[in-house]
């Protein structure tokens, strides 16, 4: 007897149950669904016929027909309706219904009509199949994405399509006529399974799809999925049809997915956050950590979260979770939970997320993070802010004010309270900052994490006070912290110090000017003194040379006795000693040297000999000796053991 699989859809559970019972009693495979969920079975199953009872309103009447037809344009659909008329029936047939019934109607009547439709459909199908079925089968057979093989009931290949080479690496001629067990494509442990498969299919048992790890011709492994059906006509079993699909990619994906799930499980088990999902009554559905010491996760699953908590804390948690079930919206809240010692002394920040099926919240996922240390740090931070003498303001990443201490409020215009500026943007709090470039600098600090310092800022006139401020901006979390120090006293001290320094510099300039004038006068006096000294020495030297020494020469040439001559020489020697220091200070012109004698002194200083000088001047050597003698006499070194060249060089 042929078995049909049908889908019955109706929102009347009692009538739907009667229909199902009637059809199953006559051998039908029956699936049922409400009209709301009628499409879900069609997504996974193929039905020979659908019986549906849609709501007969004008807006959506028979729209279900078009939707069902998208799963298979040839699926026959019988419509049942309440309070319908002939026009409704005609419209149903036009929309594609194969029959139409007005409820109430008897299940047997529906069953008889369904059987008639299916038999007619099967007859028509057989007629279509017989015309050109071989050509169609061959086209499908050769162009299928899967390998299609026909074997005898003992496993000998009768026919295979070209996909066999893609999957197993064998050509068609290498397989046809061979038994599957001769090809060694199956692992040893799978041979018994395959033998049972052939036996079950041959005996008419509906065998589920089976998976095997098979060998290709080159020895590599391929994962395949095999769907085997008996080929039988008029009671004669002619073979078995196998549809073989390469599922290697899927298997690899499943393996990666399994690994990912294992990794996710490991992460969830080791993550410091507590993550769980609960049903509407608070029953644990999933849980990554046990709710208390001495209890495993498996023991907690299926129990209620509230049973593990002290009553006062359970009431708060129930209120928070029930709110998410009721609103269907995520929520964030803080609650007290167990700390490492098991005592309820830790602060958790919880994020509750609704899990929906359609519009209904069926569960709530809760992610709880232990923020005890963070809250403790925040409390210390707030205590520091209250006690700090410097101004401190805290902004978020968009430069909206988050926190401010009392010292900072005193910088803002008189009367400003925390409530007045909390949550406002810095540009709104201090409009005058626009155009100063500081707003952009603060954004840059958030982006680069490099602190920014600026000194001697004068607050806007709107702040109502005259002072100097120093700011230091630095990144705090994702936002910005600014410490502002009042440096007015320092600036005043610097101003007074600068004025005192300017006064001292003015005094120094005046004193320097006076000293410069005094130095100038002294230089003039010293120059005059030097000139007077030089004039005195020149006069003295000239007087001795012109008024005394000539007479000593005449006296020496007169008739003197030996004693008188000695006195004259002593007198001349002593005079030369007196004037010799002056000679070193004077130029040769002041020594009454003639131009010829001055020219001669140049050659002597160059180290020229008497002969060399005589040749250069075209004079006799005796003339040169005469001039040399006069020069020594005028220099006061005559009859002294002094080298003339050395003495002349000393006069330079």
């Amino acid at each position: 007897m042929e078995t049909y699989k049908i889908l019955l859809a109706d929102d009347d559970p009692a009538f739907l149950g009667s229909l199902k019972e009637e059809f199953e009693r006559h051998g039908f495979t029956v699936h049922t669904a409400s009209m709301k969920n009628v499409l879900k079975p069609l997504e996974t199953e193929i039905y020979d016929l659908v019986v549906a009872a849609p709501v007969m309103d004008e807006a959506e009447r028979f729209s279900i027909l078009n939707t069902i037809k998208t799963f298979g344009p040839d699926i026959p659909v019988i419509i049942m309706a309440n309070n319908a008329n002939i026009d409704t029936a005609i419209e149903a047939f036009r929309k594609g219904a194969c029959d139409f019934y007005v409820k109430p109607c008897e299940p047997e009547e529906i069953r008889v009509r369904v059987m008639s439709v299916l038999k007619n459909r099967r007859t028509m199908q057989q007629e279509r199949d017989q015309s050109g079925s071989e050509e169609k089968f061959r086209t499908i057979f050769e162009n299928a994405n899967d390998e299609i093989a026909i074997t005898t009931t003992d496993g000998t290949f009768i026919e295979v399509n070209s996909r066999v080479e893609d999957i197993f690496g064998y050509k068609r001629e290498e397989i046809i006529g061979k038994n599957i067990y001769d090809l060694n494509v199956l692992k040893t442990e799978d041979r018994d399974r395959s033998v049972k498969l052939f036996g079950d299919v041959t005996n008419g048992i509906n065998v589920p799809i089976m998976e095997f790890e098979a060998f290709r011709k080159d020895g590599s492994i391929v994962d395949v999925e095999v769907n085997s059906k008996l080929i039988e006509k008029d009671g004669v079993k002619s073979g078995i049809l196998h549809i073989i699909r390469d599922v290697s990619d899927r298997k690899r994906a499943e393996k990666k997915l399994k690994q990912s799930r294992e990794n996710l499980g490991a992460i969830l088990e080791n993550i410091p956050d507590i993550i769980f999902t609960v049903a509407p009554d608070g029953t644990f559905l999933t849980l990554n950590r046990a709710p208390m010491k001495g209890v495993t996760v498996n023991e907690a699953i299926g129990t209620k979260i509230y049973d593990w908590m002290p009553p006062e804390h359970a009431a708060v948690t129930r209120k928070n979770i029930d709110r998410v079930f009721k609103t269907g919206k995520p929520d964030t809240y803080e609650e007290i939970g167990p700390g490492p010692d098991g005592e309820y002394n830790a602060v958790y920040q919880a994020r509750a997320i609704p899990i929906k099926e359609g519009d209904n919240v069926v569960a709530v996922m809760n992610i709880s993070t232990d923020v005890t240390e963070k809250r403790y740090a925040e409390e210390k931070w707030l205590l520091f802010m209250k006690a700090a003498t410097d101004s401190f303001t805290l902004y978020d990443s968009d430069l909206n004010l988050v926190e401010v201490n009392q010292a900072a409020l005193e910088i803002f215009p008189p009367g400003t309270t925390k409530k007045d500026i909390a949550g406002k943007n810095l540009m709104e709090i201090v409009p005058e900052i626009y155009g100063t470039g500081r707003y952009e600098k603060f954004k840059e600090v958030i982006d680069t994490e490099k602190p920014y310092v600026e000194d001697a800022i004068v607050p806007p006139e709107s702040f109502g006070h005259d002072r100097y401020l120093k700011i230091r901006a630095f990144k705090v979390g994702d936002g910005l912290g600014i410490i502002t120090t009042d440096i007015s006293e320092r600036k005043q001290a610097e101003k007074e110090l600068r004025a005192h320094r300017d006064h001292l510099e003015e005094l120094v300039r005046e004193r320097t000017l006076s000293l410069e004038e005094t130095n100038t006068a002294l230089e003039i006096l010293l120059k005059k003194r030097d000139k007077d000294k030089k004039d005195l020495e020149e006069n003295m030297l000239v007087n001795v040379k012109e008024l005394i020494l000539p007479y000593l020469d005449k006296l020496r040439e007169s008739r003197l006795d030996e004693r008188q001559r000695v006195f004259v020489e002593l007198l001349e020697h002593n005079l030369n000693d007196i004037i010799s220091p002056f000679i070193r200070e004077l130029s040769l012109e002041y020594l009454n040297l003639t131009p010829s004698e001055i020219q001669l002194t140049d050659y002597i200083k160059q180290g020229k000999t008497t002969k060399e000088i005589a040749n250069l001047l075209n004079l006799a050597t005796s003339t040169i000796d005469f001039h040399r003698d006069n020069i020594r006499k005028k220099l006061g070194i005559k009859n002294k053991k002094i080298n003339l060249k050395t003495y002349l060089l000393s006069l330079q």
Side-chain angles (χ1 to χ4, degrees), residues 19 66 83 116 205 329 378 419 457 496 503 568 595 651:
L19 274 179
N66 293 330
N83 303 321
S116 175
I205 299 174
K329 296 179 179 179
E378 289 176 350
K419 185 178 180 181
I457 296 175
E496 293 175 358
H503 177 66
V568 169
L651 296 180

Side-chain angles (χ1 to χ4, degrees), residues 434-625:
Y434 180 78
T436 64
R438 293 190 196 107
Y439 191 89
E440 292 74 16
K441 285 289 186 181
F442 294 155
K443 296 291 284 187
E444 185 177 327
V445 170
I446 295 174
D447 294 338
T448 64
E449 301 186 12
K450 293 182 180 179
Y452 169 69
V453 179
E454 186 172 352
D455 205 355
I457 296 175
V458 179
E461 293 182 2
S462 60
F463 279 36
H465 45 70
D466 184 15
R467 63 176 73 183
Y468 290 95
L469 305 175
K470 177 181 178 179
I471 63 170
R472 177 178 175 82
F474 50 93
K475 188 170 184 179
V476 179
D478 294 330
L480 181 80
I482 300 178
I483 294 178
T484 306
T485 305
D486 188 341
I487 58 171
S488 300
E489 292 184 2
R490 191 195 84 189
K491 281 296 179 182
Q492 182 61 33
E494 289 176 354
K495 183 178 180 182
E496 293 175 358
L497 180 62
R498 190 162 48 251
H500 182 65
R501 184 182 62 199
D502 292 343
H503 177 66
L504 289 177
E505 288 178 353
E506 183 61 29
L507 291 177
V508 169
R509 279 195 297 272
E510 293 177 357
R511 184 65 175 167
T512 301
L513 181 61
S514 176
L515 289 174
E516 287 176 352
E517 292 175 351
T518 302
N519 286 339
T520 301
L522 287 174
E523 286 178 1
I524 293 172
L525 290 175
L526 288 173
K527 287 180 180 179
K528 187 174 185 309
R529 173 183 173 279
D530 290 340
K531 185 175 183 304
D532 291 343
K533 177 184 176 184
K534 188 174 182 180
D535 290 344
L536 178 63
E537 290 173 350
E538 290 177 354
N539 290 334
M540 184 176 181
L541 181 61
V542 170
N543 289 334
V544 170
K545 290 286 187 181
E546 294 181 357
L547 300 179
I548 297 177
L549 290 179
Y551 292 104
L552 284 177
D553 290 338
K554 291 182 179 182
L555 185 61
R556 185 185 303 109
E557 294 173 358
S558 63
R559 296 179 181 181
L560 298 176
D561 57 24
E562 188 61 29
R563 187 167 177 272
Q564 289 172 333
R565 188 177 296 279
V566 170
F567 285 140
V568 169
E569 288 178 357
L570 286 174
L571 182 60
E572 182 180 16
H573 182 271
N574 290 338
L575 284 173
N576 285 330
D577 286 344
I578 291 172
I579 64 173
S580 62
F582 303 149
I583 293 175
R584 295 179 184 274
E585 302 290 333
L586 300 176
S587 62
L588 296 178
E589 289 85 347
Y590 287 106
L591 298 177
N592 292 325
L593 296 181
T594 64
S596 297
E597 291 170 344
I598 292 174
Q599 184 181 20
L600 184 62
T601 59
D602 289 336
Y603 288 122
I604 293 172
K605 286 187 288 184
Q606 293 174 17
K608 303 294 185 183
T609 63
T610 299
K611 187 176 180 180
E612 289 173 338
I613 297 172
N615 291 333
L616 290 171
L617 298 179
N618 197 26
L619 296 173
T621 56
S622 59
T623 303
I624 300 303
D625 287 336

